[in-house]
Amino acid sequence: MLGKGVVGGGGGTKAPKPSFVSYVRPEEIHTNEKEVTEKEVTLHLLPGEQLLCEASTVLKYVQEDSCQHGVYGRLVCTDFKIAFLGDDESALDNDETQFKNKVVGENDITLHCVDQIYGVFDEKKKTLFGQLKKYPEKLIIHCKDLRVFQFCLRYTKEEEVKRIVSGIIHHTQAPKLLKRLFLFSYATAAQNNTVTDPKNHTIMFDTLKDWCWELERTKGNMKYKAVSVNEGYKVCERLPAYFVVPTPLPEENVQRFQGHGIPIWCWSCHNGSALLKMSALPKEQDDGILQIQKSFLDGVYKTIHRPPYEIVKTEDLSSNFLSLQEIQTAYSKFKQLFLIGFPPLPPYCGSDNTATLLFSPSSAYQLPSDNSTEFWDTDIKWFSLLESSSWLDIIRRCLKKAIEITECMEAQNMNVLLLEENASDLCCLISSLVQLMMDPHCRTRIGFQSLIQKEWVMGGHCFLDRCNHLRQNDKEEGREGQDTQSKPLNLLTVWDWSVQFEPKAQTLLKNPLYVEKPKLDKGQRKGMRFKHQRQLSLPLTQSKSSPKRGFFREETDHLIKNLLGKRISKLINSSDELQDNFREFYDSWHSKPTDYHGLLLPHIEGPEIKVWAQRYLRWIPEAQILGGSRVATMSKLLEMIEEVQSLQEKIDERHHSQQAPQAEAPCLLRNSARLSSLFPFALLQRHSSKPVLPTSGWKALGDEDDLAKREDEFVDLGDV
Amino acid sequence: MASASTSKYNSHSLENESIKRPSRDGVNRDLPEAVPRLPGETLITDKEVIYICPFNGPIKGRVYITNYRLYLRSLETDSALILDVPLGVISRIEKMGGATSRGENSYGLDITCKDMRNLRFALKQEGHSRRDMFEILTRYAFPLAHSLPLFAFLNEEKFNVDGWTVYNPVEEYRRQGLPNHHWRITFINKCYELCDTYPALLVVPYRASDDDLRRVATFRSRNRIPVLSWIHPENKTVIVRCSQPLVGMSGKRNKDDEKYLDVIRETNKQISKLTIYDARPSVNAVANKATGGGYESDDAYHNAELFFLDIHNIHVMRESLKKVKDIVYPNVEESHWLSSLESTHWLEHIKLVLTGAIQVADKVSSGKSSVLVHCSDGWDRTAQLTSLAMLMLDSFYRSIEGFEILVQKEWISFGHKFASRIGHGDKNHTDADRSPIFLQFIDCVWQMSKQFPTAFEFNEQFLIIILDHLYSCRFGTFLFNCESARERQKVTERTVSLWSLINSNKEKFKNPFYTKEINRVLYPVASMRHLELWVNYYIRWNPRIKQQQPNPVEQRYMELLALRDEYIKRLEELQLANSAKLSDPPTSPSSPSQMMPHVQTHF
């Protein structure tokens, strides 16, 4: 059909679009026939990956120069991804392909990255799910990483359309068994040849040793101990096999409520105060059981609250902070702001039920752009749209909560106990934020990876549920047995970046601004450690909080009440005093020069909390600044580092002339001036230097209308 | 490039060098500690006051008022606060409270400044200290109302560079390749008799005679005829600026004007129509007919195509900036920051100005057609559009001196009414002529420099110091409304140029990331997604918002630059040493790698 250059129109009777621009005149069509056959692009399958279904002559929309092009290719669905095999990638030059992801290509959508699938029927967009009676002319896929793919199926054979559409819907939407997740077949097929460099290695926190190491690193081993009571998940499947609890806490206590009601150590501050988390005890009505719970908690509590030596403050994240629902709602609104793209169907030339498709030599043609219109329409009310999503406000509140906790630990020497129903959502979030602010180690790449491993992966964050990887609609938790977890599988870890990126691309994971802390000589270090230990043994006499000892007694009761399920919404110190302490701490920190290897507090004022443009705007061509933005300064910086490095080598060589030259310096980003602000995420560069012009105009001024009508100068020019 | 800049980069003082510090031998005993004073600056009075700091609460201090500045030093031991405010920045002085109110703050002064802040002082009731301070401040902040000279005429500062020589119109036009076969330089306005708000030297089409120009002048508001601002070096399309045509209600036509525009169109031998960008919203352009103005109609100008750019007038901009101040000073609006920012419309105005300039630049750069830009009088929005388009098109204007020339040419010489828009030395703070048009332009430049951080030779500090001295009246640069007035006042002889200060301390204003790129057209993205409120300017008085200076990226880059220079020097030394004693084995006890800190590169 297509080979003849004439295609039956799916919805056929529409008039040709006047705005359609073609590269070629109709008489050229026949001469270009050969170009129509797709260039054979081979499907790259990972070990263990299987092709499930495919369709040919699918047209993928490409945005370029505020215009859309169509590119022909094959759309396939495997048990890992949806992939489009076209020839549009050949336009990239070598420099850029080095930064490509080796596992997931630019036109690949992993099945778990699919967020929403829409079909277009007669220019109407509908969400696709389940069994379809009618198949769409066009498929729109919104990805969780905010890419939007649009595939036109009008020129695809009907059987193929059916197969690919239902295949994609099935494999992205049907509930999955855990063991059917692709990684299991991948792990079986792929040889795990990861060479782990012990020095440069992410702590996985899956052994007792890892926890001991972390305790030692933070000097938490004086008051806390690593326990193996949950080895083999005997006590609880929710908790990791090994974790850390206060030294005085008897191990039997862990078993008592299947790990609930146990303060689990996250991190220790240099002054000895610790960050802990606890999952709440089950709510009970029976008075007898309540009594038992109360006395249990009393005992537990004494292990972290021993005034005047140690004081604990409880942060109940379930009742006094954001709800998961709020976060979810805000994010869904927020992400919509970046999912731009619902252009009209491809244009026709010709009439009746036959449409002639015009082919350019590159088998691409231009479509009038509508994405651009959508982009500029939302641009006028951008700030209010952002605000109404409340995403940035949520970010601010998370940061603020983490600063508050930091203040308690740093300035008031208090232990902080985070409390949440399962201690696996907001606990992970807040505790890792606090550590990022307080512990410079967490700001190294390895440290950060270890932090995620510790707080999120081992912390039992339910990634499967929160990301809905198994596509379960009914929120019944824990239905899947844990049998797979106990199997020692040699799964690949995301922290092995070489699986995904070439060495050159991996350099982009590093911040060229980061400077390691200069190492102190041994004498100095000893002195510091000594000081540190002395601090630990001192009672908190000089601390601000000591006059309020009674107050803390009160809070103990409060904590217990809370844990017993009689939730009283307000904690005692949600008073102004807390706000004052916070303000003072925050302001005084910001008035001093910053030590990048010490405590770091983010700015949380309105103008300082901005959209993370590199992530959220990265796929939007209109938002691209050609040769500009932070990318420009960063590449200048990298160039300079390179130059300094090579000079260094030259000097070294002069002294040890036989010395082998060092590893090749990365000659990144040579033509930095022309790199776009979207680099390296979106390689779709506008190669021309056409400006992007806003298409929609001015919004009403409202109350300023009378001013707008005034003239600049009050001079009558009539008689000039 | 920036090899020489490192050492000077960290030195703070540039102004201090020009400030005569009170000598220790008693000449300035009346100023107990160093109160900065410029040559020509004299102390008028000093008073004990309480400064009501909106961020830190009341602070006891001593205020010194000179004929140039208000200087306050804290008298409290735990506060090092210093206020140093040129009187030119003051727009309004009000008394607060009085005999009827109570408390220490009852005798207060509220000083509204043009640079987004208010200063509040409480004074003692005794000795009429408030009345004194009020009167002295009024006198020296608004000298024109008291027949006193502006401070710029008293300033005796000396610099080793003369900023007045930066801009020489003949040289600038020669740089653009003018005059050429199609464009000539005319001296018809030598004594400002053709147009009193235009510069003496104009570039006009070769084919238009001086008589033609005179006839065209009768049909253009305030005789501001179309003249060349910029010519594209290759395709020879031009940017031409002027004021609106005097069409009026009756739809008057003028054959000379029509012919003149056609002559302009033909200069680059293109058949396409001349593009006219009318900066105003179309409704305003239509409304202007009622007062004799208007726009070029299709019937009269067959070979021209007119577009309206929807940029609002000076009154709208003034109100918009007022709203910005409301949400950032003294406290930054917390809970609804984004919607409050949106409701000021400030960034929306910026977006429209940039969008207009992009269109002008694109037309010319693509060689599609020459462009004529006007608004009503051609000294506000027109100046914004031509200068921004030129900044996008011509990399020369992105250097420090190039930018000074751009400001000097498109703004100062072409009669942007600085005196009226800023109200230098004038007490009438409600004057409807005041408007932050130049500030808006600088904001647009900042937005561009933010989007293209390697394209500008100057840094943010450069833009801020220009704005500071836009108000300060310390330099003659921004005084008066037009060139003829400046000439009458002999400004270049009697005052110092701001560019003298800047060019004698250039290193401080250099952007270390600057990469010179000739012929690169810069198109910023005029989307709200990229436009930002210029926090370091508009919210700079709030200590809570203060950004790190210099920013970490810049700092790291400077360190690397220094290291690079050190290595280059070291390498040269090694080369010398090697060639000097080829026979001797190296005896140096330490290898250079031990002596030199190795850069951490993390690769």
Side-chain angles (χ1 to χ4, degrees):
Chain A
M1 240 162 117
L2 187 92
K4 297 208 166 63
V6 178
V7 180
T13 47
K14 279 152 229 115
K17 304 237 168 171
S19 47
F20 169 46
V21 185
S22 161
Y23 286 139
V24 284
R25 280 159 288 148
E27 55 266 31
E28 285 178 82
I29 292 169
H30 295 288
T31 58
N32 283 329
E33 255 176 43
K34 278 174 223 128
E35 301 285 342
V36 175
T37 50
E38 292 151 21
K39 289 195 185 131
E40 220 23 73
V41 179
T42 44
L43 173 64
H44 171 68
L45 289 175
L46 291 175
E49 188 177 358
Q50 283 177 347
L51 177 66
L52 300 173
C53 50
E54 63 179 304
S56 46
T57 43
V58 173
L59 195 63
K60 178 186 165 248
Y61 292 67
V62 183
Q63 177 103 17
E64 204 177 276
D65 262 0
S66 313
C67 264
Q68 288 204 323
H69 295 261
V71 174
Y72 276 106
R74 205 148 54 97
L75 187 62
V76 305
C77 181
T78 75
D79 54 353
F80 173 55
K81 65 180 177 243
I82 300 163
F84 177 80
L85 310 166
D87 63 347
D88 62 328
E89 281 181 72
S90 54
L92 302 172
D93 50 45
N94 265 347
D95 244 19
E96 287 167 338
T97 50
Q98 297 187 35
F99 296 105
K100 280 181 15 174
N101 190 308
K102 293 195 284 184
V103 177
V104 187
E106 211 188 333
N107 285 322
D108 294 348
I109 311 159
T110 61
L111 297 180
H112 292 286
C113 187
V114 173
D115 193 11
Q116 285 287 349
I117 300 178
Y118 301 95
V120 177
F121 304 87
D122 297 328
E123 307 221 349
K124 282 192 194 91
K125 186 165 115 176
K126 285 179 195 153
T127 316
L128 296 185
F129 53 87
Q131 289 284 314
L132 299 181
K133 289 195 192 98
K134 208 181 153 202
Y135 287 87
E137 297 148 47
K138 199 171 145 187
L139 205 57
I140 300 175
I141 302 179
H142 285 185
C143 301
K144 287 177 183 166
D145 64 5
L146 307 177
R147 286 179 298 170
V148 177
F149 283 90
Q150 305 181 39
F151 300 109
C152 174
L153 304 169
R154 181 170 289 154
Y155 315 110
T156 315
K157 287 190 197 113
E158 212 180 307
E159 323 84 81
E160 286 189 339
V161 171
K162 278 185 188 166
R163 232 180 294 137
I164 194 76
V165 173
S166 48
I168 287 174
I169 290 174
H170 177 79
H171 293 291
T172 56
Q173 292 181 351
K176 251 198 170 100
L177 287 177
L178 179 63
K179 58 186 171 212
R180 290 266 175 273
L181 285 181
F182 172 69
L183 92 157
F184 292 105
S185 45
Y186 181 47
T188 318
Q191 290 166 318
N192 187 357
N193 50 6
T194 319
V195 193
T196 39
D197 170 13
K199 263 192 295 180
N200 250 5
H201 152 69
T202 304
I203 315 290
M204 303 303 275
F205 292 99
D206 53 357
T207 63
L208 200 61
K209 210 178 85 213
D210 285 353
W211 287 101
C212 291
W213 183 86
E214 180 76 351
L215 271 174
E216 200 171 316
R217 187 183 70 80
T218 59
K219 314 280 185 295
N221 44 5
M222 298 192 57
K223 297 188 208 160
Y224 298 90
K225 62 178 179 191
V227 292
S228 53
V229 58
N230 197 31
E231 211 161 38
Y233 306 98
K234 293 191 294 269
V235 177
C236 166
E237 287 169 342
R238 203 173 34 80
L239 285 173
Y242 311 98
F243 53 90
V244 174
V245 294
T247 310
L249 188 98
E251 288 193 25
E252 315 84 80
N253 275 8
V254 178
Q255 278 136 309
R256 193 71 182 281
F257 294 96
Q258 291 79 48
H260 288 276
I262 297 298
I264 292 174
W265 177 87
C266 299
W267 182 76
S268 282
C269 177
H270 63 89
N271 62 17
S273 62
L275 183 61
L276 304 131
K277 61 185 168 190
M278 181 194 272
S279 56
L281 287 181
K283 285 169 199 166
E284 291 291 344
Q285 296 301 318
D286 183 86
D287 269 350
I289 302 175
L290 278 175
Q291 267 314 312
I292 295 167
Q293 289 191 348
K294 185 176 170 3
S295 63
F296 172 78
L297 284 173
D298 267 335
V300 162
Y301 193 74
K302 282 192 185 107
T303 64
I304 47 173
H305 186 71
R306 303 176 294 123
Y309 299 99
E310 242 182 317
I311 285 166
V312 76
K313 176 184 156 43
T314 314
E315 238 354 298
D316 186 350
L317 298 174
S318 305
S319 64
N320 275 320
F321 194 49
L322 295 161
S323 72
L324 297 188
Q325 191 51 46
E326 262 177 283
I327 298 175
Q328 174 63 26
T329 311
Y331 187 67
S332 340
K333 278 194 202 164
F334 180 69
K335 75 177 177 194
Q336 284 308 321
L337 301 178
F338 306 94
L339 291 165
I340 289 175
F342 175 50
L345 289 175
Y348 297 95
C349 260
S351 51
D352 303 320
N353 274 346
T354 325
T356 313
L357 190 63
L358 303 178
F359 297 107
S360 78
S362 62
S363 78
Y365 60 84
Q366 263 185 327
L367 307 171
S369 167
D370 242 22
N371 285 1
S372 197
T373 318
E374 193 182 335
F375 179 86
W376 292 112
D377 282 350
T378 49
D379 202 53
I380 308 175
K381 41 191 179 185
W382 178 246
F383 290 123
S384 41
L385 284 171
L386 259 186
E387 187 171 283
S388 68
S389 80
S390 40
W391 180 250
L392 294 183
D393 191 51
I394 282 175
I395 300 295
R396 189 205 331 275
R397 286 168 66 187
C398 291
L399 292 172
K400 190 169 176 202
K401 179 60 80 186
I403 298 172
E404 280 168 17
I405 289 166
T406 301
E407 191 266 336
C408 287
M409 295 178 70
E410 177 83 23
Q412 305 194 44
N413 274 22
M414 287 193 214
N415 291 329
V416 176
L417 178 66
L418 305 174
L419 182 65
E420 197 186 7
E421 200 176 312
N422 272 318
S424 61
D425 289 304
L426 297 166
C427 274
C428 307
L429 174 75
I430 296 300
S431 119
S432 35
L433 280 178
V434 169
Q435 291 176 60
L436 272 172
M437 292 176 191
M438 299 186 76
D439 186 349
H441 174 68
C442 300
R443 306 194 286 256
T444 63
R445 186 165 63 87
I446 297 299
F448 185 69
Q449 291 175 177
S450 305
L451 177 70
I452 291 179
Q453 201 63 38
K454 179 172 79 166
E455 292 303 331
W456 293 85
V457 180
M458 288 304 151
H461 180 66
C462 314
F463 285 102
L464 280 182
D465 293 330
R466 298 289 172 251
C467 305
N468 201 14
H469 283 324
L470 303 180
R471 308 272 176 192
Q472 248 109 38
N473 291 324
D474 39 358
K475 285 278 175 189
E476 197 187 312
E477 274 169 58
R479 64 151 79 178
E480 198 83 29
Q482 296 284 331
D483 56 329
T484 35
Q485 198 181 336
S486 52
K487 250 184 266 163
L489 250 179
N490 199 10
L491 295 181
L492 285 169
T493 154
V494 68
W495 309 128
D496 182 8
W497 296 108
S498 66
V499 172
Q500 292 188 64
F501 300 107
E502 296 291 344
K504 202 166 267 190
Q506 283 182 60
T507 59
L508 293 180
L509 298 176
K510 291 172 186 169
N511 175 7
L513 293 178
Y514 181 74
V515 181
E516 270 174 49
K517 191 175 186 169
K519 293 215 167 68
L520 297 169
D521 65 58
K522 275 176 194 159
Q524 273 172 297
R525 248 185 301 180
K526 256 183 201 150
M528 277 178 66
R529 190 174 299 150
F530 179 63
K531 196 173 144 206
H532 185 78
Q533 285 169 337
R534 252 184 38 170
Q535 247 182 353
L536 287 188
S537 55
L538 277 177
L540 307 169
T541 41
Q542 87 290 32
S543 133
K544 256 190 176 176
S545 46
S546 45
K548 303 176 220 153
R549 225 168 282 158
F551 158 88
F552 281 98
R553 188 60 242 157
E554 212 177 325
E555 203 200 4
T556 314
D557 291 338
H558 198 75
L559 163 76
I560 289 163
K561 275 182 207 152
N562 251 318
L563 291 174
L564 293 177
K566 293 173 187 167
R567 292 175 192 277
I568 298 159
S569 62
K570 278 215 165 180
L571 274 178
I572 294 154
N573 54 0
S574 66
S575 65
D576 290 341
E577 194 183 1
L578 180 88
Q579 279 307 308
D580 288 349
N581 283 343
F582 169 80
R583 258 295 152 213
E584 196 188 317
F585 179 67
Y586 178 82
D587 286 348
S588 101
W589 188 87
H590 278 290
S591 65
K592 286 180 210 137
T594 309
D595 170 14
Y596 291 109
H597 298 287
L599 181 67
L600 277 191
L601 299 184
H603 275 285
I604 53 167
E605 279 80 14
E608 309 287 3
I609 308 261
K610 295 173 201 161
V611 172
W612 179 13
Q614 271 237 304
R615 167 165 159 77
Y616 293 108
L617 297 176
R618 61 183 162 166
W619 313 116
I620 305 173
E622 282 80 9
Q624 164 166 241
I625 303 168
L626 200 64
S629 112
R630 236 175 94 86
V631 172
T633 41
M634 280 306 179
S635 46
K636 286 281 282 185
L637 199 70
L638 288 171
E639 271 169 35
M640 186 52 70
I641 286 173
E642 198 187 310
E643 195 183 335
V644 167
Q645 229 177 3
S646 85
L647 282 168
Q648 216 169 51
E649 281 160 28
K650 271 186 202 155
I651 293 176
D652 286 347
E653 268 169 46
R654 290 212 165 260
H655 274 264
H656 323 275
S657 46
Q658 68 275 54
Q659 203 182 41
Q662 277 186 20
E664 179 202 355
C667 49
L668 273 183
L669 334 176
R670 270 291 178 218
N671 49 354
S672 57
R674 291 297 183 271
L675 282 177
S676 128
S677 59
L678 307 185
F679 180 85
F681 301 108
L683 299 175
L684 47 127
Q685 284 205 15
R686 287 184 293 114
H687 286 282
S688 73
S689 56
K690 287 286 297 167
V692 195
L693 281 175
T695 51
S696 52
W698 177 256
K699 197 169 58 172
L701 272 176
D703 54 334
E704 278 166 38
D705 251 4
D706 51 324
L707 276 177
K709 284 182 202 130
R710 267 166 72 178
E711 277 181 49
D712 281 0
E713 324 284 331
F714 300 93
V715 176
D716 197 342
L717 297 165
D719 303 319
V720 181
Chain B
M1 174 192 76
S3 55
S5 63
T6 34
S7 57
K8 287 179 189 168
Y9 185 77
N10 289 324
S11 73
H12 307 272
S13 59
L14 80 127
E15 303 206 21
N16 289 354
E17 285 165 18
S18 59
I19 287 163
K20 201 195 284 168
R21 293 202 163 272
S23 53
R24 299 223 173 267
D25 49 37
V27 178
N28 286 315
R29 274 281 154 77
D30 52 338
L31 305 180
E33 279 170 73
V35 173
R37 237 202 277 177
L38 299 171
E41 183 177 356
T42 51
L43 182 72
I44 311 295
T45 186
D46 67 278
K47 293 234 175 303
E48 205 166 287
V49 298
I50 292 165
Y51 168 57
I52 303 161
C53 174
F55 311 109
N56 301 312
I59 295 166
K60 212 174 208 180
R62 179 165 288 275
V63 70
Y64 302 88
I65 298 169
T66 73
N67 55 352
Y68 170 64
R69 78 183 89 208
L70 179 156
Y71 188 88
L72 176 121
R73 185 195 303 284
S74 158
L75 294 175
E76 281 167 37
T77 43
D78 58 342
S79 162
L81 180 113
I82 280 176
L83 274 183
D84 187 354
V85 185
L87 299 181
V89 97
I90 295 174
S91 92
R92 180 182 194 185
I93 308 166
E94 280 173 291
K95 291 176 187 163
M96 294 187 303
T100 50
S101 51
R102 284 183 196 171
E104 235 189 330
N105 301 344
S106 59
Y107 279 79
L109 276 184
D110 186 10
I111 300 174
T112 309
C113 298
K114 296 169 183 171
D115 62 354
M116 311 291 286
R117 59 177 158 170
N118 275 47
L119 305 172
R120 288 184 164 197
F121 299 103
L123 290 109
K124 284 186 200 129
Q125 194 181 343
E126 308 89 58
H128 302 292
S129 63
R130 178 175 71 170
R131 194 193 63 195
D132 286 357
M133 186 163 160
F134 179 82
E135 280 172 5
I136 288 167
L137 275 179
T138 306
R139 200 171 155 81
Y140 290 95
F142 312 125
L144 298 190
H146 300 86
S147 314
L148 287 171
L150 291 163
F151 178 74
F153 291 101
L154 305 170
N155 186 3
E156 291 162 17
E157 282 177 273
K158 297 277 181 289
F159 294 95
N160 49 23
V161 183
D162 180 8
W164 292 122
T165 62
V166 164
Y167 177 59
N168 175 334
V170 175
E171 258 172 49
E172 163 58 14
Y173 288 122
R174 191 182 300 142
R175 188 191 67 85
Q176 292 190 25
L178 298 168
N180 64 15
H181 289 316
H182 295 281
W183 295 90
R184 66 186 179 100
I185 291 179
T186 173
F187 297 93
I188 185 176
N189 203 35
K190 197 172 68 185
C191 303
Y192 309 102
E193 61 270 56
L194 178 80
C195 171
D196 59 356
T197 57
Y198 260 7
L201 205 132
L202 299 169
V203 175
V204 294
Y206 193 83
R207 281 178 48 207
S209 70
D210 281 0
D211 280 340
D212 291 336
L213 301 179
R214 285 191 195 94
R215 283 193 294 272
V216 172
T218 61
F219 193 63
R220 290 281 162 178
S221 169
R222 300 172 203 276
N223 303 333
R224 293 171 68 92
I225 60 166
V227 295
L228 181 140
S229 275
W230 192 78
I231 183 163
H232 193 283
E234 275 134 41
N235 65 39
K236 304 294 176 198
T237 52
V238 293
I239 299 175
V240 165
R241 62 180 291 172
C242 60
S243 62
Q244 62 182 337
L246 299 178
V247 175
M249 290 298 265
S250 57
K252 267 182 278 182
R253 289 180 58 169
N254 181 306
K255 287 284 169 216
D256 296 298
D257 192 71
E258 290 161 23
K259 199 181 126 213
Y260 184 70
L261 261 52
D262 219 35
V263 168
I264 291 172
R265 180 184 65 83
E266 284 167 352
T267 53
N268 73 327
K269 294 177 180 158
Q270 291 239 343
I271 20 162
S272 57
K273 292 186 171 183
L274 176 73
T275 307
I276 301 174
Y277 285 113
D278 187 329
R280 301 167 290 185
S282 57
V283 275
N284 293 53
V286 173
N288 261 306
K289 286 185 173 180
T291 49
Y295 54 92
E296 295 83 354
S297 69
D298 287 345
D299 325 336
Y301 300 83
H302 302 294
N303 287 325
E305 222 177 340
L306 180 105
F307 301 95
F308 294 104
L309 294 178
D310 294 327
I311 301 169
H312 278 282
N313 64 27
I314 60 166
H315 312 295
V316 172
M317 302 308 180
R318 185 180 55 237
E319 290 315 305
S320 175
L321 186 67
K322 251 185 213 155
K323 287 184 183 167
V324 173
K325 185 174 174 183
D326 287 345
I327 65 162
V328 301
Y329 192 88
N331 296 313
V332 177
E333 167 67 46
E334 274 271 337
S335 47
H336 297 285
W337 166 250
L338 289 169
S339 52
S340 318
L341 180 62
E342 188 172 271
S343 69
T344 68
H345 296 295
W346 183 253
L347 289 177
E348 234 169 302
H349 294 303
I350 298 277
K351 171 180 165 168
L352 279 170
V353 173
L354 280 173
T355 305
I358 292 170
Q359 280 171 270
V360 173
D362 181 41
K363 264 288 183 282
V364 170
S365 167
S366 63
K368 279 189 194 116
S369 82
S370 286
V371 170
L372 179 132
V373 183
H374 71 70
C375 47
S376 298
D377 289 306
W379 51 42
D380 293 311
R381 288 167 276 198
T382 301
Q384 288 179 332
L385 289 169
T386 56
S387 54
L388 285 170
M390 286 157 76
L391 202 61
M392 290 170 195
L393 289 162
D394 192 337
S395 60
F396 170 71
Y397 298 124
R398 292 173 223 143
S399 65
I400 288 179
E401 287 211 13
F403 190 77
E404 291 167 358
I405 287 170
L406 183 71
V407 169
Q408 204 72 46
K409 178 180 184 299
E410 288 302 299
W411 290 86
I412 298 171
S413 86
F414 273 98
H416 172 68
K417 304 208 298 174
F418 282 103
S420 310
R421 296 288 174 259
I422 309 300
H424 292 135
D426 179 64
K427 67 169 198 256
N428 184 9
H429 63 89
T430 56
D431 190 347
D433 253 357
R434 293 197 187 176
S435 186
I437 300 301
F438 186 73
L439 165 64
Q440 195 173 45
F441 159 71
I442 296 287
D443 194 329
C444 290
V445 176
W446 179 81
Q447 303 283 353
M448 281 180 70
S449 72
K450 190 91 184 147
Q451 292 193 16
F452 299 100
T454 60
F456 294 84
E457 190 192 8
F458 48 83
N459 59 17
E460 187 176 50
Q461 239 11 70
F462 175 76
L463 298 176
I464 291 176
I465 201 168
I466 289 177
L467 290 177
D468 281 346
H469 292 296
L470 172 67
Y471 308 118
S472 76
C473 295
R474 174 170 151 195
F475 301 100
T477 305
F478 297 117
L479 301 185
F480 304 104
N481 280 336
C482 55
E483 207 176 274
S484 60
R486 254 168 246 126
E487 208 152 285
R488 273 198 302 279
Q489 298 292 334
K490 299 194 169 54
V491 167
T492 54
E493 294 158 42
R494 295 168 58 209
T495 72
V496 181
S497 161
L498 168 60
W499 316 131
S500 305
L501 170 79
I502 288 173
N503 293 357
S504 53
N505 292 281
K506 255 190 187 170
E507 293 307 323
K508 195 189 169 182
F509 303 108
K510 275 190 178 161
N511 166 17
F513 294 107
Y514 177 53
T515 315
K516 202 169 179 176
E517 278 186 281
I518 308 194
N519 296 334
R520 179 177 173 204
V521 184
L522 289 190
Y523 292 122
V525 177
S527 157
M528 298 309 251
R529 282 139 170 117
H530 285 300
L531 299 181
E532 274 178 50
L533 187 77
W534 186 7
V535 167
N536 283 358
Y537 182 73
Y538 298 109
I539 322 186
R540 64 179 158 155
W541 309 121
N542 189 330
R544 231 166 246 164
I545 306 280
K546 205 144 197 174
Q547 305 270 308
Q548 294 161 349
Q549 286 293 347
N551 80 53
V553 191
E554 210 172 302
Q555 202 165 15
R556 175 98 166 103
Y557 193 71
M558 300 306 296
E559 286 165 14
L560 284 169
L561 278 176
L563 203 58
R564 183 193 64 172
D565 295 343
E566 205 177 311
Y567 282 166
I568 289 174
K569 211 176 110 199
R570 183 77 202 154
L571 210 57
E572 278 165 5
E573 280 169 15
L574 278 171
Q575 263 158 353
L576 277 177
N578 278 6
S579 53
K581 36 182 174 175
L582 262 177
S583 51
D584 294 349
T587 49
S588 132
S590 59
S591 83
S593 52
Q594 283 170 311
M595 290 160 61
M596 212 85 65
H598 264 188
V599 64
Q600 293 182 12
T601 44
H602 326 285
F603 290 123

